[in-house]
Amino acid sequence: MEPTNQTTVSEFLLLGLTDDPTLQPLIFSLFLSYLVTILGNLLIILAVNSDPHLHNPMYFFLCSLSFNDICLGTCIIPKMLLSIQNQDQRITYAGCLTQVCFVIVFALLEKFFLGVMSYDCSVAICHTLRYRVIMNPCLCVLLIMISLLISIFHGLLRSLMVLRLSFCVDLEIPHFFCDFAQVVNLACSDSLVENILIYVSSCIFVGVPLSGIIFSYIHIMSSVLRMPSSEGNHKAFSTCGSPLSVVSLFYGTGFGVYISFAVTESPRKSAVASVMYTLVPQMLNPFIYSLRNRDMKEVLRKLTGMRTSLL
């Protein structure tokens, strides 16, 4: 096929998860549960901001993670719901490029936030007496800003990589959103540099936060095992139980998606697997923190009680 200049490309086609029209209403209903993600994460943000007892680094990072989860879902789900509702799979070239950029930014930011939260737990358990001194407001804001700047830089870099590609006549993306790797696969021009950068950046931006998380929890476990009292052990696990559950869910589903890419050659099956990685953790995070965290449950109970009394 003769490549066309990238400036002549006006739109792509998002093939979604299935071609079966009878399954489209079911898929629409499932993805409409995205509203649960928004509601749950908004409740966490509201709860943290309404209770002064939760104004500490751990819940500051939790609010940041919740806001990021809302943004990540918003980059993907509304467009997919509109496509199913209007039976229109098209997405403009500019829209696709914008979605690539924002999905990369918020997905990478999720990894950094989980790493920062693991470090926060490590300091809380291993340096309890100096926790407030180490995790001061300036450091907390600095960690968030550094994570954000690196994520934005990475997202813009990959978007610029797409801009230099030329595309063929076949502009069908076998996915439910503009995934960077799938867009690169459509290119007719030489994409060797892009593929190399994909693997290198993935190793760096996945490996570094994951290494930090593993190191933090090894440090936590070694400290917990040295604690003489069972009460101290219970407090340590109650502090880090929720972040550890979220980390396990996020990287567990990510590993599952990687395995699916390795064992199947069907892009559609890989797209189905990627739902577990891009959307399910964000949907379950509010439930994990509300069910496993005693302070959060207490504040949410107060909020719901206040709402009931007003009604």
Side-chain angles (χ1 to χ4, degrees):
M1 290 184 293
E2 291 295 324
T4 58
N5 188 280
Q6 64 167 349
T7 56
T8 64
V9 175
S10 59
E11 61 188 22
F12 295 94
L13 288 179
L14 296 173
L15 300 184
L17 299 177
T18 179
D19 290 325
D20 189 347
T22 61
L23 292 177
Q24 295 298 334
L26 175 61
I27 293 175
F28 183 87
S29 301
L30 289 174
F31 277 89
L32 196 60
S33 60
Y34 146 78
L35 296 175
V36 176
T37 303
I38 293 181
L39 179 61
N41 284 295
L42 284 177
L43 276 175
I44 286 180
I45 295 172
L46 177 62
V48 172
N49 283 279
S50 64
D51 193 325
H53 294 97
L54 300 183
H55 292 177
N56 59 52
M58 174 183 173
Y59 293 103
F60 171 69
F61 295 134
L62 176 58
C63 279
S64 301
L65 180 68
S66 296
F67 181 73
N68 186 73
D69 286 343
I70 293 173
C71 293
L72 181 57
T74 304
C75 291
I76 300 172
I77 303 302
K79 172 58 184 173
M80 183 176 183
L81 293 176
L82 283 174
S83 297
I84 296 175
Q85 181 69 23
N86 300 330
Q87 296 184 348
D88 184 2
Q89 298 174 313
R90 294 175 297 174
I91 183 171
T92 64
Y93 178 79
C96 186
L97 195 63
T98 302
Q99 191 176 61
V100 165
C101 181
F102 280 107
V103 168
I104 290 172
V105 168
F106 292 122
L108 180 57
L109 203 53
E110 184 97 359
K111 298 180 180 69
F112 279 123
F113 283 167
L114 292 177
V116 168
M117 293 174 74
S118 299
Y119 172 70
D120 175 67
C121 280
S122 175
V123 176
I125 300 301
C126 305
H127 306 282
T128 307
L129 298 178
R130 300 178 57 221
Y131 175 71
R132 291 286 184 177
V133 176
I134 297 174
M135 299 303 297
N136 59 76
C138 290
L139 178 62
C140 294
V141 173
L142 182 63
L143 289 172
I144 294 296
M145 292 305 298
I146 290 175
S147 301
L148 181 61
L149 290 175
I150 293 175
S151 300
I152 291 174
F153 172 77
H154 186 54
L156 291 175
L157 177 63
R158 288 206 173 186
S159 300
L160 291 174
M161 289 163 58
V162 175
L163 278 173
R164 63 182 294 273
L165 296 174
S166 297
F167 295 94
C168 301
V169 177
D170 183 15
L171 298 175
E172 296 179 343
I173 301 174
H175 218 298
F176 59 94
F177 68 95
C178 284
D179 179 62
F180 175 76
Q182 297 290 349
V183 174
V184 171
N185 287 338
L186 294 178
C188 287
S189 56
D190 184 18
S191 59
L192 177 62
V193 175
E194 284 75 14
N195 285 316
I196 291 174
L197 285 175
I198 288 174
Y199 289 112
V200 172
S201 62
S202 297
C203 290
I204 294 173
F205 293 117
V206 174
V208 171
L210 182 58
S211 299
I213 290 170
I214 293 172
F215 177 79
S216 295
Y217 281 104
I218 289 175
H219 199 37
I220 290 170
M221 288 302 298
S222 64
S223 296
V224 168
L225 292 175
R226 291 198 300 266
M227 290 180 179
S229 66
S230 58
E231 183 181 347
N233 293 343
H234 176 73
K235 185 177 180 181
F237 283 117
S238 65
T239 300
C240 297
S242 297
L244 181 59
S245 300
V246 171
V247 167
S248 302
L249 177 65
F250 184 79
Y251 281 99
T253 53
F255 182 72
V257 172
Y258 177 80
I259 294 297
S260 73
F261 285 150
V263 300
T264 181
E265 295 181 357
S266 171
R268 285 295 182 84
K269 291 181 180 179
S270 298
V272 173
S274 66
V275 173
M276 297 296 296
Y277 176 65
T278 55
L279 300 176
V280 172
Q282 288 73 29
M283 189 180 300
L284 295 181
N285 284 354
F287 296 100
I288 292 173
Y289 276 100
S290 60
L291 293 176
R292 291 183 59 89
N293 189 292
R294 185 176 60 186
D295 295 333
M296 186 63 68
K297 283 194 291 186
E298 185 64 29
V299 174
L300 289 174
R301 193 178 296 115
K302 289 179 182 177
L303 285 175
T304 53
M306 186 184 303
R307 182 177 179 272
T308 303
S309 63
L310 289 174
L311 293 175

